[in-house]
Amino acid sequence: MTFVTKLSFASGDRDVLAETVQELKETLERKGAECKGPHATPAETVRVPLYKHLRAGDEFSPWTYDVYKRSMEIHGADDIARGVVARDFPDSIHVEVEVDQKKPLGHRRD
């Protein structure tokens, strides 16, 4: 069975995100892992209300910021994928990991 490791990255710092993901892709290619991505999705604008007091009422202008997202997939290369997941990523990047197990086509279990 083959494993597919799906990585999702999100950050408010587009430059750090792009640099980190590009460096990761280059590392994966250098080690011979099959990698798809990075895939970018449109930035999401987040609006956070700011109140002048601890209760609702008087408000300052909301704080708005953009969240940038990238995703990648590593096919097979389980040992390389484990190393990637164990890496220390910058604090400004949120990383989510999902591992799917894929069965080869044409194989049945009786």
Side-chain angles (χ1 to χ4, degrees):
M1 296 209 193
T2 302
F3 290 93
V4 177
T5 305
K6 297 178 181 180
L7 302 166
S8 300
F9 304 91
S11 179
D13 189 337
R14 181 179 17 193
D15 295 334
V16 170
L17 179 63
E19 180 181 319
T20 301
V21 171
Q22 185 60 37
E23 177 186 309
L24 179 59
K25 178 161 179 82
E26 290 169 1
T27 300
L28 290 168
E29 289 175 344
R30 192 171 50 251
K31 291 186 176 190
E34 182 184 344
C35 174
K36 294 187 179 179
H39 305 290
T41 57
E44 175 185 338
T45 300
V46 177
R47 296 175 58 87
V48 180
L50 299 174
Y51 298 101
K52 293 182 179 181
H53 303 286
L54 294 177
R55 62 189 181 290
D58 294 333
E59 294 183 24
F60 292 108
S61 297
W63 176 41
T64 60
Y65 62 97
D66 292 327
V67 176
Y68 304 95
K69 297 181 181 181
R70 304 286 185 276
S71 62
M72 299 175 75
E73 292 182 359
I74 304 170
H75 293 261
D78 303 339
D79 55 332
I80 296 171
R82 272 192 294 278
V84 167
V85 171
R87 286 177 69 155
D88 285 329
F89 290 97
D91 290 339
S92 63
I93 298 178
H94 175 78
V95 181
E96 291 184 10
V97 179
E98 181 182 336
V99 179
D100 286 338
Q101 190 174 17
K102 301 291 183 184
K103 295 180 183 177
L105 294 175
H107 290 282
R108 281 187 2 177
R109 200 179 245 175
D110 293 327

